[in-house]
Amino acid sequence: MLTNDTPLTGSNLLQRFQALDGFLLEHQALWRPKPFTVQALPWERAHPELAAWLRSRSLEDAEAAHNAPELLHAPTPFPALAGTAARLSCIGQLPAHAFAALPHRLTVDVPGRKLQQIAAFASRLNFTQPPQHWLDWCAGKGHLGRALAQDGTPLLSLELDPQLVQDGQRMSNRLALQAQHRQQDVLATGTDEHLHPEHTAIALHACGDLHVRLLQLASTRRCRQLAVAPCCYNRIGSEHYQPLSSAAKASPLSLSRDDLRLPQAETVTAGARVRRQRDTSMAWRLGFDLLQREVRHCDEYLPTPAVSPTWLDKPFADYCRHLANLKGLNLPAAIDWPHWEAQGWQRLAHVRNLELVRGLFRRPMELWLLLDRALFLEEQGYRATLGAFCASQVTPRNLLLLAERI
Ligand SMILES: C[S@@+](CC[C@H](N)C(=O)[O-])C[C@H]1O[C@@H](n2cnc3c(N)ncnc32)[C@H](O)[C@@H]1O
């Protein structure tokens, strides 16, 4: 959903960052523990009415509330938290300019949703100076860069996967664009040689370390403009988040790689079949977890490796025996399988409903991370603006950071 608010820029960046920082710090007890691995959450003792209400609800109830937990009429303190979370997550859309409709020959190879993202991203690139040379970062086949380079502006596209580089170069050649698609691991030393002051760097959904690397290299190489829509904040090499800006470095908030999965926990795009498979996989995993707690006489979550989805087509008993084998666990011969499977589904309903509390902190954490990036660029001599570039139905990672050297 896009809001009527304005994008964040100037002193609002730090103001909002500090408000979010305080909110996340104050309520760590609510968003850190994960219902999937912890049977009774520590906060349930402090808020028994809310916990009981959430635990009485069905899986379908949880599903219906998942993408907008702030609209749920749950007992206190849920409404107050939801109100603050919504207020602090409020961010307006970036102003759009008319972007020339993408010609069919350019879009024929681009999947529908990606095309919508590209058109929206491109229409929000309002810089004071016209871009001179695009640099598409972790470009895949380079569809975004190609869409922008159709007006004759040169393009350098960097991508790790040689097949995507080759396909991208072929598509650009077919359109006679001034585009160079290079195979490059952007994390490798020497990548900085590809960045130049005349570059406008663009990155659509480059994961964790990949887009952070762009912010660091582009600022040291003094690239004139950047447009970055990050995703997968948890895809980082370090165990803990490494803050970029002085404000985030000064904050006591420490985020583990696991905490950083929270902003991604929104699944607006999954279809019914995928959802059903995901639910079965989780219910069975939870059923197995309850069973192993009893067998081992140990009330602790036992991490298990991911297994092929084909195991979900077999009986629940086979699935559990397989996991037990992988963990070297001896199961008794007589097990009431329907009981444990039903327990797994019941626990999934509890988990999903309790997760709605964590869900309130999803967008605040994402915005905190983006503001850290925006403040970092400001410190590096850029004017940064943060706003939405499309509706969340087009992509839940719909925030775009624009920056231009002052
Ligand atoms: C989520 S895709 C986004 C692709 C494209 N920007 C888009 O929106 O369609 C991320 C891309 O990053 C590339 N990638 C992953 N690691 C990389 C690295 N170390 N160096 C360069 N590219 C990398 C992947 O191959 C993939 O094409």
Side-chain angles (χ1 to χ4, degrees):
M1 189 178 65
L2 291 174
T3 71
N4 293 325
D5 268 272
T6 51
L8 293 172
T9 192
S11 61
N12 288 334
L13 295 170
L14 183 59
Q15 248 175 37
R16 182 69 72 89
F17 177 84
Q18 282 169 339
L20 284 162
D21 196 52
F23 183 60
L24 290 171
L25 278 167
E26 185 184 347
H27 301 294
Q28 296 181 65
L30 297 178
W31 56 261
R32 277 205 206 271
K34 292 167 75 179
F36 195 83
T37 52
V38 182
Q39 276 220 74
L41 297 162
W43 65 256
E44 292 188 67
R45 281 194 300 277
H47 307 294
E49 198 194 335
L50 173 61
W53 188 85
L54 289 168
R55 282 181 179 275
S56 70
R57 289 166 58 87
S58 69
L59 190 56
E60 292 71 32
D61 289 337
E63 188 73 40
H66 181 79
N67 284 336
E70 64 280 2
L71 302 180
L72 200 63
H73 296 290
T76 182
F78 197 94
L81 289 169
T84 308
R87 182 171 52 77
L88 293 180
S89 307
C90 217
I91 184 159
Q93 50 183 307
L94 293 159
H97 62 83
F99 180 68
L102 296 169
H104 177 69
R105 62 201 173 93
L106 195 85
T107 61
V108 64
D109 302 306
V110 190
R113 200 182 293 273
K114 179 58 72 183
L115 192 57
Q116 282 176 282
Q117 294 169 15
I118 287 173
F121 188 110
S123 73
R124 310 281 166 167
L125 302 184
N126 282 310
F127 295 114
T128 57
Q129 301 294 320
Q132 297 171 359
H133 197 138
W134 299 107
L135 171 69
D136 194 351
W137 191 258
C138 300
K141 292 183 184 172
H143 296 307
L144 173 64
R146 218 172 2 263
L148 291 162
Q150 59 166 330
D151 65 358
T153 310
L155 163 71
L156 171 62
S157 178
L158 300 181
E159 163 60 44
L160 179 66
D161 182 332
Q163 187 60 55
L164 299 180
V165 174
Q166 202 186 333
D167 291 350
Q169 189 69 62
R170 189 177 36 78
M171 291 176 189
S172 292
N173 291 349
R174 207 172 58 199
L175 298 168
L177 298 178
Q178 260 200 77
Q180 192 194 2
H181 294 251
R182 275 190 92 98
Q183 198 260 328
Q184 176 69 39
D185 175 356
V186 299
L187 300 178
T189 45
T191 303
D192 55 343
E193 286 165 21
H194 298 300
L195 286 84
H196 298 289
E198 67 271 22
H199 277 153
T200 297
I202 48 170
L204 173 56
H205 296 162
C207 306
D209 279 343
L210 302 176
H211 71 260
V212 169
R213 176 91 165 144
L214 172 61
L215 304 185
Q216 288 163 336
L217 293 186
S219 53
T220 48
R221 300 287 289 175
R222 304 174 71 82
C223 292
R224 56 209 300 266
Q225 294 154 338
L226 285 99
V228 180
C231 77
C232 304
Y233 297 94
N234 59 314
R235 298 236 179 128
I236 56 172
S238 53
E239 277 302 313
H240 280 86
Y241 180 65
Q242 309 291 313
L244 298 163
S245 64
S246 334
K249 283 180 183 158
S251 164
L253 187 65
S254 163
L255 298 172
S256 70
R257 203 190 290 147
D258 201 33
D259 294 333
L260 293 170
R261 296 165 73 96
L262 182 58
Q264 268 93 249
E266 189 179 18
T267 52
V268 279
T269 48
R273 197 184 58 81
V274 172
R275 282 211 305 270
R276 180 73 196 164
Q277 191 180 60
R278 184 199 60 194
D279 287 353
T280 306
S281 156
M282 292 181 92
W284 283 18
R285 199 167 276 273
L286 288 165
F288 173 79
D289 188 56
L290 291 170
L291 171 64
Q292 69 77 19
R293 286 177 198 242
E294 172 135 320
V295 171
R296 293 197 307 141
H297 304 293
C298 172
D299 194 15
E300 260 175 31
Y301 179 73
L302 181 70
T304 47
V307 295
S308 152
T310 54
W311 281 98
L312 302 176
D313 299 329
K314 301 179 200 241
F316 176 63
D318 292 7
Y319 169 90
C320 287
R321 287 203 188 92
H322 177 61
L323 282 190
N325 265 341
L326 291 176
K327 297 302 287 185
L329 180 68
N330 277 329
L331 293 180
I335 289 178
D336 182 353
W337 293 111
H339 165 78
W340 292 107
E341 186 177 358
Q343 289 289 302
W345 281 101
Q346 176 61 69
R347 192 151 144 61
L348 181 62
H350 288 166
V351 166
R352 284 277 168 70
N353 280 289
L354 292 165
E355 275 283 353
L356 295 172
V357 175
R358 292 188 86 221
L360 294 177
F361 298 90
R362 211 156 51 202
R363 197 66 159 175
M365 187 183 288
E366 179 172 21
L367 207 44
W368 185 98
L369 291 163
L370 271 158
L371 285 165
D372 180 29
R373 286 147 177 74
L375 290 168
F376 168 77
L377 288 177
E378 290 256 320
E379 285 167 15
Q380 304 303 310
Y382 289 83
R383 185 179 304 108
T385 307
L386 190 57
F389 70 97
C390 62
S392 59
Q393 290 80 0
V394 176
T395 167
R397 303 283 73 74
N398 67 340
L399 296 178
L400 177 60
L401 172 58
L402 297 179
E404 188 156 24
R405 276 203 83 78
I406 298 170

